[in-house]
Amino acid sequence: MRRPITVAVYSFLLIAVALPFVTLVAQMFAADASGLWLHYASTVLPTYVGNSVVLGAAVALIASIIGVASAWQIERYRFPLRNFLSWALLLPMAMPAYVAAYALTDFFQFSGPAQTLLRATFGWVKGDYWFPELVSLPGAITVFSLTLYPYVYLLARAAFAERGSELFEAARTLGLNARAAWWRAALPVARPAIAGGALLVLMETLADFGTVSYFGVETLTTGIYRAWQNMGDLVAAAQLAALLLTAVIVLVWLERRNRRRARYANTRARNGAAARVAQPLSTAAAWARTLWCMLPLVLGFVLPAILLLRLLEREWVAVSVAAVLRWTGNSLLVGGLAALVVVSLSLLLHARARLLRERWALRIEWLLSFGYAVPGAVLAIGVLLPLAWMDNQIIDVSKRLWGVNPGLLLTGSVLALVYASSIRFYGVASSSIAAAYSRLPLHLDDSARVLGVSGWNAFARVHWPALKRSTLAATLLVFIDTLKELPATLTLRPFNFDTLATQTYNLVKDERLGEAALPSLLILFASLPAVVLLARVNHHKNNQSRT
């Protein structure tokens, strides 16, 4: 029999999780929808949908090609800088796509260093040569692919490390050439992992606002923001958000259905011998693989970081130190609160499910994990509508009872932003903590009970020592994701409350790229510890998979 306080807590969590999504679904059938929505449907909506589909599909495909090819080279062959590249290929995860877009555009535009050098070298003038336009849909696809491919690389490399090489060798012994053996033996077992990584890339692309807004690509996310902020039509924005949410739900369902149908048994003998995964190559072939793996790293991380430093060095005198400190403090506040809420809640739910066998803890945990699939702009709409209604009710009651207007307690503070960030990034913490719990044998709990240690004492003395590393990784990842989040922060931040992400966007929108370099670099440098830790954990897991 559950205690009343437990039922109350689970009920509160269930309402908190469901409220934004119920609100969005209700808006799809709102009777008072304005005529502007019908105008959107007959004019710009096809453009929004078409660009979103093309952008998402192209980025998922190209990022998958880069990630899978790099993962296979790292796992299979021995070449110069292989050990360095094995973890360095994850560094573009620390580079927000919108930051890379600003830096690369400044470098490759007509007045930038790249084209200026071409004209000076060959004596060209405008019209004498053709240069690809980065501020375009193909440019957005390129930037997204270079910054998001690590999602696919991370999962594909783990799959190849576990069983890809052995199956490849077996196929070669059966007479298949290298290309056929890879296509028919190594790739199929990694396909579920690749599909999962591609889905993450697709969701991150659909959720982005800063990059597509800067490049002038009209997607559903920019449509949501434009309907709300520019047109003042919250109902139309909510309905666009509900449309995007429906598309995301369908994509997640299709990926999970495909994963359930694609199950592969791991029949590799674990006799303690390490798999032969690093094959020597000729000098030319080895350096060709080094260049292949270096290219996305350089374009997706090294070059944008150098360009940001160049912009900062050129205009650092225009930067207000006091303002930067204020933006940094606001970012740390929101990121720290969101990480604290998410990690604490995830530990609580997983511990109760493990120690007390509470099914509701797992159900609510699963619902919370789904929030990572929801774009920030969509979640912001779903959070703002009910919280704004609650604020109005609180004001009305306070005025009637005490004659005092308390102001916007929910939407006028960081509470709404922390609430949305907690739902949005709960899945990041949950996956790390759930994986740590899965490696903790159940017989340890039984042994602790025999020794008289149970309940939360068992958590503190048995579980926590094994969870500390994963909890730290989860905390860093949630903090960094919150730090980089732009659409939800732009929408839900209180008045005069700027973060590093929002101020970077505002400065770039005003064409003040030099001043935007410092907050961009601070986001980048703050993200590096989490990415390095993730690379170390992944390297350790891959080494275990080979033994």
Side-chain angles (χ1 to χ4, degrees):
M1 184 101 181
R2 296 190 188 92
R3 297 177 181 178
I5 189 170
T6 302
V7 175
V9 170
Y10 284 158
S11 299
F12 173 77
L13 290 175
L14 187 60
I15 293 172
V17 175
L19 190 59
F21 306 110
V22 172
T23 301
L24 288 173
V25 173
Q27 290 301 319
M28 293 184 69
F29 308 100
D32 59 341
S34 68
L36 190 56
W37 163 251
L38 297 177
H39 174 69
Y40 283 154
S42 61
T43 54
V44 296
L45 185 59
T47 301
Y48 292 161
V49 174
N51 285 341
S52 297
V53 170
V54 172
L55 181 66
V59 172
L61 176 62
I62 297 174
S64 297
I65 292 173
I66 297 173
V68 172
S70 300
W72 180 250
Q73 305 308 318
I74 293 292
E75 280 302 313
R76 180 65 191 167
Y77 299 107
R78 187 184 308 150
F79 50 87
L81 302 180
R82 174 179 172 270
N83 291 335
F84 164 75
L85 290 168
S86 66
W87 64 267
L89 280 166
L90 291 175
L91 288 177
M93 290 183 73
M95 178 70 66
Y98 55 86
V99 171
Y102 308 153
L104 292 174
T105 300
D106 181 72
F107 184 74
F108 288 111
Q109 64 183 345
F110 181 78
S111 58
Q115 294 197 52
T116 300
L117 179 62
L118 284 176
R119 292 193 297 271
T121 302
F122 299 101
W124 291 339
V125 296
K126 185 177 181 180
D128 289 345
Y129 66 98
W130 175 86
F131 198 86
E133 180 61 52
L134 191 62
V135 183
S136 61
L137 178 59
I141 292 171
T142 301
V143 171
F144 279 124
S145 301
L146 290 172
T147 55
L148 296 178
Y149 78 85
Y151 288 102
V152 181
Y153 167 78
L154 189 67
L155 297 177
R157 188 185 169 200
F160 287 141
E162 185 175 355
R163 50 190 174 243
S165 187
E166 291 90 338
L167 293 174
F168 177 84
E169 290 287 357
R172 291 300 306 273
T173 61
L174 293 175
L176 295 179
N177 59 34
R179 181 177 299 178
W182 182 84
W183 183 260
R184 298 177 59 180
L187 181 62
V189 296
R191 193 171 296 153
I194 295 169
L199 179 64
L200 289 174
V201 169
L202 181 58
M203 290 190 299
E204 289 293 329
T205 304
L206 294 177
D208 180 86
F209 172 73
T211 308
V212 292
S213 174
Y214 184 68
F215 281 172
V217 180
E218 296 183 330
T219 63
L220 284 169
T221 305
T222 58
I224 292 168
Y225 194 80
R226 184 176 301 167
W228 186 356
Q229 301 293 331
N230 296 348
M231 303 295 184
D233 193 331
L234 191 54
V235 174
Q239 290 183 327
L240 286 171
L243 178 62
L244 182 54
L245 175 63
T246 302
V248 170
I249 291 174
V250 171
L251 289 171
V252 172
W253 177 78
L254 289 174
E255 191 274 334
R256 290 185 176 179
R257 182 171 178 267
N258 178 70
R259 185 175 296 184
R260 283 198 304 267
R261 295 176 60 185
R263 296 183 183 273
Y264 301 95
N266 186 2
T267 59
R268 176 163 58 94
R270 294 183 178 272
N271 56 8
R276 189 165 55 93
V277 295
Q279 301 297 309
L281 297 163
S282 65
T283 302
W287 279 106
R289 282 163 172 79
T290 300
L291 292 176
W292 164 264
C293 293
M294 283 291 295
L295 187 61
L297 172 63
V298 170
L299 294 179
F301 178 80
V302 177
L303 181 59
I306 293 174
L307 296 176
L308 289 172
L309 290 171
R310 170 181 168 273
L311 286 170
L312 180 64
E313 187 272 336
R314 192 174 62 191
E315 298 189 36
W316 68 272
V317 292
V319 176
S320 170
V321 176
V324 171
L325 291 176
R326 186 172 64 253
W327 307 334
T328 304
N330 292 340
S331 299
L332 295 176
L333 174 65
V334 175
L337 288 175
L340 178 63
V341 170
V342 167
V343 173
S344 300
L345 183 58
S346 182
L347 283 172
L348 175 66
L349 292 176
H350 280 97
R352 293 189 72 90
R354 174 76 173 246
L355 295 170
L356 305 178
R357 304 292 194 271
E358 290 185 350
R359 293 183 179 180
W360 270 102
L362 288 178
R363 290 170 183 169
I364 293 176
E365 198 274 333
W366 179 84
L367 288 174
L368 280 166
S369 298
F370 179 75
Y372 189 64
V374 182
V378 173
L379 197 56
I381 298 284
V383 165
L384 183 68
L385 289 175
L387 292 190
W389 179 84
M390 292 179 191
D391 266 334
N392 291 330
Q393 299 306 308
I394 293 172
I395 291 173
D396 290 342
V397 171
S398 178
K399 284 182 176 180
R400 283 199 304 267
L401 295 179
W402 302 290
V404 176
N405 185 347
L408 301 174
L409 298 178
L410 302 179
T411 57
S413 66
V414 297
L415 182 61
L417 184 53
V418 172
Y419 174 34
S421 299
S422 299
I423 296 178
R424 171 89 167 89
F425 300 118
Y426 179 87
V428 176
S430 176
S431 60
S432 179
I433 293 173
Y437 257 120
S438 68
R439 296 190 295 269
L440 194 64
L442 288 172
H443 66 76
L444 290 180
D445 296 356
D446 299 331
S447 301
R449 291 191 190 95
V450 171
L451 295 174
V453 179
S454 61
W456 293 109
N457 285 331
F459 173 81
R461 300 175 62 180
V462 179
H463 294 182
W464 178 245
L467 298 175
K468 287 190 294 186
R469 187 183 183 92
S470 295
T471 301
L472 174 61
T475 303
L476 286 172
L477 289 174
V478 173
F479 174 78
I480 297 308
D481 280 339
T482 306
L483 200 70
K484 296 191 298 184
E485 174 62 28
L486 181 60
T489 309
L490 276 174
T491 303
L492 297 174
R493 63 194 171 104
F495 294 112
N496 297 321
F497 186 90
D498 288 311
T499 65
L500 292 171
T502 59
Q503 199 57 27
T504 297
Y505 169 77
N506 290 330
L507 289 172
V508 171
K509 187 174 64 174
D510 295 338
E511 297 297 330
R512 297 157 66 185
L513 292 179
E515 296 176 58
L518 182 56
S520 299
L521 283 168
L522 289 175
I523 295 174
L524 178 61
F525 292 148
S527 304
L528 284 177
V531 174
V532 172
L533 178 60
L534 180 63
R536 291 182 61 184
V537 171
N538 183 64
H539 180 71
H540 178 69
K541 289 180 180 178
N542 290 340
N543 286 340
Q544 286 185 329
S545 297
R546 299 191 200 105
T547 59

